[in-house]
Amino acid sequence: MSDVYENVMELAKRRGFIWPTSECYGAVAGFIDYGPLGAMLKRRVENAWREFYVIQEGYYEIECPTIGQEAVFVASGHVKGFSDKMLQCPHCNEYLRADHIAEGNGVPNAGTMSCEALAACIAPFSCPACEKPLGKVEVFPFNLMFQTTIGPGSQRKGYLRPETAQGMFTDFARLLRFYRDKLPFGAVQIGKSYRNEISPRQGMIRLREFTQAEAEIFVHPDEKNRHPFFSRYAEYTMPFLGIPQQQKGEPAVTMSMQQAVEQGLVANQYVAYYLALTHQMLVRIGVRPDRLRFRQHLPDERAHYACDCWDAEIRSDRFGWVETVGIADRTNYDLNAHAFHSGTPFTVFVQYPEARKEQRRRIVPNMGVLGKQYRNKAKAIFAALEQAQPGPDGVDLEVDGEKIHIPADLYEVRDETVEVRGVDVTPHVIEPSYGIDRMIYAILEQAYDEEMVEGEVRKVLRLSPLVAPIQVAVFPLMTRDGLDTVAREIAGEIQKIGFLAEYDDSGAIGRRYRRQDEVGTPYAVTVDYDTLKDRTVTLRDRDSMAQVRVPVADIPEMIRDLIQGRLTFARLQA
Amino acid sequence: MSDVYENVMELAKRRGFIWPTSECYGAVAGFIDYGPLGAMLKRRVENAWREFYVIQEGYYEIECPTIGQEAVFVASGHVKGFSDKMLQCPHCNEYLRADHIAEGNGVPNAGTMSCEALAACIAPFSCPACEKPLGKVEVFPFNLMFQTTIGPGSQRKGYLRPETAQGMFTDFARLLRFYRDKLPFGAVQIGKSYRNEISPRQGMIRLREFTQAEAEIFVHPDEKNRHPFFSRYAEYTMPFLGIPQQQKGEPAVTMSMQQAVEQGLVANQYVAYYLALTHQMLVRIGVRPDRLRFRQHLPDERAHYACDCWDAEIRSDRFGWVETVGIADRTNYDLNAHAFHSGTPFTVFVQYPEARKEQRRRIVPNMGVLGKQYRNKAKAIFAALEQAQPGPDGVDLEVDGEKIHIPADLYEVRDETVEVRGVDVTPHVIEPSYGIDRMIYAILEQAYDEEMVEGEVRKVLRLSPLVAPIQVAVFPLMTRDGLDTVAREIAGEIQKIGFLAEYDDSGAIGRRYRRQDEVGTPYAVTVDYDTLKDRTVTLRDRDSMAQVRVPVADIPEMIRDLIQGRLTFARLQA
């Protein structure tokens, strides 16, 4: 195989997985179309994701618009901080990412450098577009959000969301009600997000419009080491490329989630739980474990809001280690930011197991005297007194910008015991965030295989049966003597139980098998003349090309069990 | 019931169906969030749609970006023509739709009037926002596409797509290859579309960001009356409000699809087929037939590209007849437009059953003489001659802007018989286009019911079991003596076969039933002390509140059959 990327993208284009968008007008970088088989594959990957987050974890999906009003992204920090450092080549006028040029020339940690530092460091390098030396150029931030206007007359700025997460945060109060005011709870969203990349050149890996699947799990900050179902993954073992390993230049260490939490490598049980779940899911949809690693963000690359962050990275033949999933403990950063900017509370009232008695010092004003003395200001003074810290000779207040001294004989200080039933808590957020398009690219690249069969190259997509777009092909050996009718009936029976069967009667049977191999169809059923006699058909396995003879009546359930992993083809052969 | 709209939206908000978007910053008109139950309902409606278009019809789904480059929408006509007629109130500065003001004041056909005519007609009316008389105001078109910029430096204009359709058109050549170069074929898309409405005031009915499900079916123009499966719906009967009925002010006429096509009321079998399919689907997901009608567009409201167009309109208590689905014969308009603007062919080569002999007149130049006489122009002249119509005394050509006369003795005219194997055909497009959000609103409004039960109001959403978000609730009578364990096991068994079961053990059993009634859960299973003895449970029907006693072991399959319509609750009671 020459270059896997070229081969798999050629196949993806030719067979209807991935197409350039509006190709007839010249495709625009950063956009792709999912063709018929690609869209089906994508839907199956999304549904596999739902199996974990919606069915297993019980987190409900919500759906927010992709256009958001400016206030949301001011609060989230995206208006100010969501930018890449850019320059324009003085020779060819191409816009370029400064950190990519630096990295391409071997500068380490270019992603964390300032504009000034980048400008200084890239001056000796050449423009990757026109290859002339860049020299002294200005490096400046470019905001990556697509901007638009909502309504006529430029009434309101709007942005295409850069992540689905914010919708879950702004809906926090409603979600809390939905979950009957109890922590922990979670919400998930699968949908489009947008980043107006400066000059994307990596096909499906760097898209301007892409699909994210994100979960936001809201947890009591004191309960992050008490995931209710941690035992499910406590013994799950996988390799970690933590901060210590990276700093010492050591390889990843393999250990259980329990160990990783106990050693303090992973911040808490919640983060560890979703690391393990992510590993399990990626392997289940077809990522090879030897091409999968979990890398912890170094302190200087970690987002300011996160206290721990890990990337699931998948090794690509073309692109190296590709960040595909991010799992972060975002602390209370987002909820605090929205509380501050919106002026509404983003807290949960957490009741104590039993009410606590607490000592409170309270200032009780002498209403009569104060009222007479201050008249219409009295109400504001009463309110200010309640919050004040009294000194030995009275209290200094500021009321409506005016400084007022209240002598100690105009109030009484009482130490009281009050009953406190609970406390308002701002939950922490654990966020697993998946790049669906990158998962699909990884699956395609790793599934692609070529082998010599009877002197010819067999191209085969070894997709997991769980995500293969066409789940079974049904062929009549000939389109006569009723073989085609029987084949159509079988295809119909399989469709009835919800699996996609493709009937195909065109061309030699060998060519039909190859057509299905190439798009990853895991099983094929062939109807021949024996079928008419004994009601059996040939069932063929894509990967081994092995065939077994089975009764027609068993086919639908057999296909279902094979696809859902309850049956292996090897067992059928035994 | 006071106002169904108010009641159903209150419930939708409170129980997590529909929420205002980013409410904490002040919701923006034209955007909604689907909460946990709303998103689930929406996904079930989309999947019901797929049952028809993807499974039954066999049209594959594709997925194109929501941002499109300008060239696409220049070709489609949206840059020039996709606008509403707007004015700004001179008193309160509010932007308003001119046609809505005219309609609101009883002017008929305001939607088809020119800007000038609208300005003249609305002068005497008052501003609906500030109620002052409008007087002489300017009415001008406002383009409804959201605009943005792709890449830095304002390099490229981009638009958020106003319909998903264009992606299927620009992918035409690739789709044709996918379907092995044969007509008819179809592609479908479910996804977000955007219209920057001027001042949307109708909740879920007029959204700026909404979900469309569209099918584009490509048909040989001569085959529009030969739908291969027309017999499926030929006898399907439904009411038509055609052009004749509307012009004569008559009520809808009920007839079969066969009759509608034969009488020329519906343009062809393809349009009729998708009218019937749409009727069947809408009824299946819960639209009452007596609130559903199909209205044909009048010649002056029909889009310029369509030769026949029907709207499925659903009657809303609040909004009257709401256009929810459009079914149009778009002819070859779109493919021709893209062929013209992109300079690439959008045709199918249709082979004749056998090659035809055709007479062709060909001009054969006298190469020697012409070549000598015209030298470097000769090649262009040869090419022009091939296309030319010769007169009695020669041919007048235009070559590179220059007029050249070629006398008759410099060429020979030959009448030849050529073998023609087929013809390039531009397919016609039949487009059923569904507004998913409007379907969901209709379902919610029609499902909402209140009744008096034991002296209390029971609020119930009578959703079709096919689309109800929670499909079954499972309650233990008490959370002790193992009743809760059994209930959780039953819920788990139901989940395993792919249905959403909600376990709930909080509060009195009556209150738990009401909670589920309100969100439309069609069935509830209650585990009690008898369950421990005889392994039976109570199965309750939401609508009738009737209960039957059934074995635990039968529950999963029974639930599946009830939801998929293979079993009725009445039969269980018999």
Side-chain angles (χ1 to χ4, degrees):
Chain A
M1 278 196 288
S2 44
D3 182 294
V4 179
Y5 175 80
E6 301 294 343
N7 288 333
V8 76
M9 290 317 286
E10 183 278 328
L11 187 153
K13 219 187 252 189
R14 182 166 44 81
R15 295 305 307 275
F17 285 90
I18 310 289
W19 292 333
T21 297
S22 55
E23 204 180 0
C24 56
Y25 296 104
V28 183
F31 297 94
I32 55 164
D33 286 0
Y34 284 92
L37 298 187
M40 192 64 89
L41 170 61
K42 180 165 185 273
R43 217 140 62 71
R44 295 207 198 284
V45 168
E46 290 169 359
N47 285 338
W49 191 92
R50 287 187 175 106
E51 282 290 321
F52 281 86
Y53 281 95
V54 182
I55 311 280
Q56 175 180 306
E57 299 298 299
Y59 300 144
Y60 275 89
E61 199 170 339
I62 68 171
E63 191 182 313
C64 304
T66 57
I67 298 178
Q69 57 174 313
E70 190 174 28
V72 173
F73 301 111
V74 168
S76 70
H78 286 98
V79 167
K80 207 169 156 204
F82 187 62
S83 54
D84 276 344
K85 295 175 181 86
M86 180 169 88
L87 62 99
Q88 190 172 18
C89 170
H91 314 293
C92 69
N93 293 324
E94 181 86 1
Y95 289 97
L96 302 158
R97 265 184 74 168
D99 57 336
H100 283 183
I101 295 177
E103 270 167 16
N105 286 279
V107 177
N109 300 321
T112 60
M113 287 166 71
S114 71
C115 285
E116 294 68 31
L118 275 168
C121 118
I122 61 171
F125 304 140
S126 298
C127 168
C130 71
E131 302 190 351
K132 291 190 186 142
L134 287 167
K136 198 167 143 34
V137 289
E138 195 199 350
V139 172
F140 51 96
F142 171 70
N143 194 295
L144 297 179
M145 284 195 293
F146 284 97
Q147 194 183 312
T148 191
T149 304
I150 303 170
S154 310
Q155 288 183 318
R156 258 179 198 272
K157 251 189 219 172
Y159 294 96
L160 294 179
R161 66 181 177 195
E163 57 179 10
T164 68
Q166 297 303 323
M168 271 92 84
F169 299 144
T170 53
D171 278 343
F172 171 77
R174 296 238 175 235
L175 284 167
L176 179 61
R177 280 291 316 270
F178 180 80
Y179 284 102
R180 302 195 208 159
D181 301 301
K182 288 209 171 43
L183 292 177
F185 66 85
V188 307
Q189 203 168 174
I190 302 182
K192 292 294 185 77
S193 291
Y194 303 81
R195 300 189 187 188
N196 200 1
E197 298 284 352
I198 290 165
S199 59
R201 289 161 201 276
Q202 293 174 280
M204 288 179 72
I205 299 300
R206 195 165 298 279
L207 292 173
R208 283 169 163 152
E209 177 171 342
F210 52 99
T211 298
Q212 280 188 315
E214 295 190 302
E216 309 298 326
I217 299 140
F218 300 94
V219 191
H220 192 298
D222 299 342
E223 305 276 331
K224 290 199 285 187
N225 262 324
R226 285 199 285 275
H227 191 293
F229 302 104
F230 187 66
S231 61
R232 180 178 284 149
Y233 292 117
E235 300 308 318
Y236 196 97
T237 297
M238 57 178 235
F240 296 86
L241 192 63
I243 295 172
Q245 289 76 41
Q246 292 174 71
Q247 285 173 338
K248 288 184 240 158
E250 289 172 358
V253 288
T254 296
M255 62 177 102
S256 73
M257 309 319 293
Q258 179 84 46
Q259 289 170 315
V261 174
E262 277 169 7
Q263 296 186 12
L265 183 60
V266 174
N268 53 58
Q269 283 191 359
Y270 269 83
V271 172
Y273 184 95
Y274 294 101
L275 287 173
L277 183 154
T278 299
H279 188 276
Q280 188 189 26
M281 177 191 313
L282 291 175
V283 170
R284 188 168 302 169
I285 62 171
V287 175
R288 295 213 302 265
D290 61 328
R291 291 190 160 232
L292 175 59
R293 73 178 189 192
F294 285 76
R295 193 181 69 78
Q296 194 170 26
H297 281 202
L298 295 166
D300 64 353
E301 69 176 314
R302 195 161 61 206
H304 55 283
Y305 51 76
C307 75
D308 192 15
C309 187
W310 292 78
D311 285 341
E313 297 182 331
I314 303 179
R315 169 121 195 118
S316 153
D317 266 29
R318 174 73 160 230
F319 302 110
W321 286 103
V322 176
E323 168 201 341
T324 303
V325 183
I327 292 140
D329 180 341
R330 295 177 74 130
T331 71
N332 55 12
Y333 175 83
D334 305 280
L335 296 186
N336 277 343
H338 285 298
F340 176 77
H341 282 89
S342 70
T344 49
F346 279 70
T347 52
V348 182
F349 182 75
V350 179
Q351 213 167 324
Y352 295 135
E354 45 194 290
R356 294 181 191 173
K357 302 228 183 291
E358 286 182 13
Q359 293 294 320
R360 293 261 169 98
R361 170 158 293 186
R362 199 157 71 90
I363 302 185
V364 184
N366 183 329
M367 300 253 190
V369 182
L370 272 169
K372 242 180 250 163
Q373 198 161 331
Y374 292 99
R375 293 176 185 274
N376 52 3
K377 277 188 207 153
K379 211 174 151 191
I381 288 172
F382 293 161
L385 268 177
E386 279 184 25
Q387 309 294 325
Q389 295 295 334
D393 57 348
V395 183
D396 291 309
L397 300 178
E398 194 171 319
V399 175
D400 296 337
E402 184 190 346
K403 289 197 172 158
I404 298 173
H405 179 77
I406 308 287
D409 56 352
L410 292 189
Y411 59 84
E412 191 187 332
V413 176
R414 287 193 203 149
D415 283 314
E416 299 178 328
T417 303
V418 290
E419 214 182 54
V420 182
R421 297 177 47 210
V423 61
D424 288 317
V425 169
T426 304
H428 281 204
V429 173
I430 312 296
E431 177 194 79
S433 170
Y434 295 70
I436 296 289
D437 313 271
R438 290 182 175 191
M439 286 158 72
I440 289 169
Y441 176 72
I443 288 173
L444 285 173
E445 195 195 273
Q446 297 191 11
Y448 186 83
D449 198 10
E450 289 178 9
E451 60 182 12
M452 290 303 290
V453 175
E454 293 164 15
E456 274 188 26
V457 174
R458 179 173 93 116
K459 293 187 183 184
V460 54
L461 276 189
R462 301 194 187 279
L463 293 173
S464 155
L466 204 68
V467 298
I470 300 170
Q471 296 170 303
V472 56
V474 185
F475 308 141
L477 189 66
M478 306 280 175
T479 50
R480 57 169 186 253
D481 304 324
L483 297 185
D484 44 343
T485 315
V486 176
R488 280 190 202 276
E489 278 166 13
I490 294 173
E493 289 301 313
I494 299 169
Q495 299 269 46
K496 252 189 220 159
I497 60 161
F499 293 91
L500 180 57
E502 187 170 278
Y503 170 89
D504 185 9
D505 62 15
S506 109
I509 196 86
R511 234 183 98 207
R512 283 183 259 167
Y513 281 134
R514 290 295 174 280
R515 264 205 300 261
Q516 296 293 339
D517 288 343
E518 209 179 42
V519 298
T521 309
Y523 306 105
V525 171
T526 303
V527 172
D528 55 24
Y529 284 98
D530 286 343
T531 310
L532 302 181
K533 285 183 233 156
D534 62 3
R535 298 295 290 172
T536 65
V537 288
T538 300
L539 179 65
R540 174 190 182 261
D541 176 51
R542 172 198 67 203
D543 289 340
S544 62
M545 293 184 288
Q547 306 193 347
V548 290
R549 198 82 198 170
V550 295
V552 169
D554 295 353
I555 282 290
E557 292 210 348
M558 207 174 265
I559 293 294
R560 187 189 62 200
D561 291 348
L562 284 166
I563 287 168
Q564 296 178 344
R566 277 197 296 272
L567 177 66
T568 62
F569 199 83
R571 243 186 64 203
L572 283 177
Q573 293 173 280
Chain B
M1 279 196 290
S2 42
D3 182 295
V4 179
Y5 175 81
E6 301 295 342
N7 287 333
V8 76
M9 292 317 285
E10 184 279 328
L11 188 154
K13 219 187 251 189
R14 182 166 45 80
R15 295 304 308 273
F17 285 89
I18 309 290
W19 292 333
T21 297
S22 55
E23 204 179 1
C24 56
Y25 296 104
V28 183
F31 297 94
I32 55 165
D33 286 0
Y34 285 91
L37 297 187
M40 192 64 88
L41 170 61
K42 179 164 185 273
R43 217 139 63 69
R44 296 206 198 283
V45 168
E46 290 170 357
N47 285 338
W49 192 93
R50 287 187 174 105
E51 282 290 322
F52 282 86
Y53 281 95
V54 181
I55 311 278
Q56 175 179 306
E57 300 297 299
Y59 300 143
Y60 275 89
E61 198 170 340
I62 69 171
E63 191 182 311
C64 303
T66 57
I67 299 178
Q69 57 174 313
E70 190 175 27
V72 172
F73 301 111
V74 168
S76 70
H78 286 97
V79 168
K80 209 170 154 202
F82 186 62
S83 54
D84 276 344
K85 295 178 181 82
M86 180 168 88
L87 62 101
Q88 191 171 16
C89 170
H91 313 293
C92 68
N93 292 324
E94 181 86 0
Y95 290 98
L96 303 157
R97 265 184 73 169
D99 56 337
H100 283 183
I101 295 178
E103 270 167 16
N105 286 279
V107 177
N109 300 321
T112 60
M113 287 166 72
S114 71
C115 285
E116 294 69 31
L118 275 168
C121 117
I122 62 172
F125 304 141
S126 298
C127 168
C130 72
E131 303 190 351
K132 291 189 186 144
L134 288 167
K136 200 167 142 35
V137 290
E138 195 199 351
V139 173
F140 51 97
F142 172 70
N143 194 295
L144 298 179
M145 284 196 293
F146 283 97
Q147 193 182 314
T148 190
T149 303
I150 302 170
S154 309
Q155 288 183 319
R156 257 179 198 272
K157 251 188 218 172
Y159 294 96
L160 294 179
R161 63 181 180 197
E163 57 179 8
T164 69
Q166 297 302 323
M168 270 92 84
F169 300 143
T170 54
D171 279 344
F172 171 77
R174 297 239 174 234
L175 285 167
L176 179 62
R177 279 292 315 272
F178 180 82
Y179 284 103
R180 302 194 208 160
D181 301 300
K182 288 209 173 39
L183 292 176
F185 66 85
V188 307
Q189 205 168 172
I190 302 182
K192 292 294 184 76
S193 292
Y194 303 82
R195 300 191 188 186
N196 201 0
E197 298 284 352
I198 290 166
S199 60
R201 290 161 202 274
Q202 291 173 282
M204 287 180 71
I205 300 301
R206 195 166 298 279
L207 292 173
R208 284 170 163 152
E209 177 172 341
F210 51 99
T211 297
Q212 279 188 315
E214 295 190 302
E216 309 297 326
I217 299 141
F218 300 95
V219 191
H220 193 299
D222 299 343
E223 305 274 331
K224 291 198 285 188
N225 261 325
R226 286 198 286 274
H227 190 295
F229 302 104
F230 186 67
S231 61
R232 179 179 285 148
Y233 292 117
E235 300 309 318
Y236 196 96
T237 297
M238 56 179 236
F240 298 85
L241 192 63
I243 294 172
Q245 288 76 39
Q246 293 173 70
Q247 284 173 339
K248 287 184 242 158
E250 288 173 0
V253 288
T254 296
M255 61 177 104
S256 73
M257 308 320 292
Q258 180 84 46
Q259 288 170 315
V261 174
E262 277 169 6
Q263 296 185 10
L265 183 59
V266 173
N268 54 57
Q269 283 191 359
Y270 269 83
V271 172
Y273 184 95
Y274 294 101
L275 286 174
L277 183 153
T278 299
H279 188 277
Q280 189 188 24
M281 177 192 313
L282 291 175
V283 170
R284 188 167 304 169
I285 62 171
V287 175
R288 294 212 303 266
D290 62 327
R291 290 189 162 233
L292 176 59
R293 73 177 190 192
F294 285 76
R295 193 181 69 78
Q296 194 170 27
H297 281 203
L298 296 166
D300 64 352
E301 69 176 316
R302 195 161 62 209
H304 54 286
Y305 52 75
C307 75
D308 192 15
C309 187
W310 292 77
D311 285 340
E313 296 182 332
I314 303 178
R315 168 120 196 120
S316 153
D317 265 28
R318 173 74 158 228
F319 302 109
W321 287 103
V322 177
E323 167 200 343
T324 303
V325 183
I327 292 140
D329 180 340
R330 294 176 74 128
T331 71
N332 55 11
Y333 175 84
D334 304 279
L335 296 186
N336 277 344
H338 285 298
F340 176 77
H341 282 89
S342 70
T344 49
F346 279 70
T347 52
V348 182
F349 182 75
V350 178
Q351 214 167 325
Y352 295 135
E354 46 193 289
R356 295 182 190 170
K357 301 226 184 294
E358 287 183 11
Q359 292 295 319
R360 293 262 169 99
R361 171 160 291 188
R362 197 156 74 89
I363 303 185
V364 184
N366 183 331
M367 298 256 189
V369 182
L370 271 168
K372 240 180 250 165
Q373 199 162 331
Y374 291 99
R375 292 174 186 276
N376 51 5
K377 276 187 209 152
K379 213 174 147 189
I381 288 172
F382 292 161
L385 267 177
E386 279 183 25
Q387 309 295 326
Q389 296 294 334
D393 56 349
V395 181
D396 290 307
L397 300 178
E398 194 170 320
V399 175
D400 296 337
E402 185 191 346
K403 289 200 171 159
I404 298 173
H405 179 77
I406 308 287
D409 57 351
L410 292 189
Y411 59 83
E412 192 188 331
V413 176
R414 286 192 203 149
D415 283 315
E416 299 178 329
T417 304
V418 290
E419 213 181 58
V420 183
R421 297 177 46 211
V423 62
D424 287 318
V425 169
T426 303
H428 281 203
V429 172
I430 311 297
E431 178 193 80
S433 170
Y434 294 70
I436 296 289
D437 313 271
R438 291 183 175 191
M439 285 158 72
I440 289 169
Y441 176 72
I443 288 173
L444 285 173
E445 195 196 272
Q446 296 191 11
Y448 185 83
D449 198 9
E450 289 177 9
E451 59 182 11
M452 289 303 290
V453 175
E454 292 163 16
E456 275 188 27
V457 174
R458 179 174 93 118
K459 293 187 181 183
V460 54
L461 276 188
R462 302 194 187 278
L463 294 172
S464 155
L466 203 68
V467 298
I470 300 171
Q471 295 169 304
V472 55
V474 186
F475 308 140
L477 189 67
M478 304 281 174
T479 51
R480 58 169 186 252
D481 304 323
L483 298 185
D484 44 344
T485 316
V486 176
R488 280 190 203 278
E489 278 166 12
I490 294 173
E493 290 301 313
I494 298 169
Q495 299 269 46
K496 253 190 219 158
I497 60 161
F499 294 91
L500 180 58
E502 186 170 279
Y503 170 89
D504 185 7
D505 62 15
S506 109
I509 197 84
R511 233 181 98 206
R512 285 183 256 167
Y513 282 134
R514 289 296 175 277
R515 265 205 298 264
Q516 297 293 339
D517 288 342
E518 208 179 43
V519 299
T521 309
Y523 306 104
V525 172
T526 302
V527 173
D528 55 24
Y529 285 98
D530 286 341
T531 311
L532 302 180
K533 286 183 232 157
D534 62 4
R535 299 294 291 171
T536 64
V537 288
T538 300
L539 180 66
R540 174 189 182 262
D541 177 51
R542 174 199 66 204
D543 289 339
S544 61
M545 293 185 286
Q547 306 193 347
V548 290
R549 197 83 197 171
V550 296
V552 169
D554 295 352
I555 282 290
E557 294 209 348
M558 208 173 265
I559 294 293
R560 187 189 62 202
D561 291 348
L562 283 166
I563 287 168
Q564 295 179 343
R566 278 197 295 272
L567 177 66
T568 62
F569 199 83
R571 243 185 63 202
L572 283 178
Q573 292 173 281

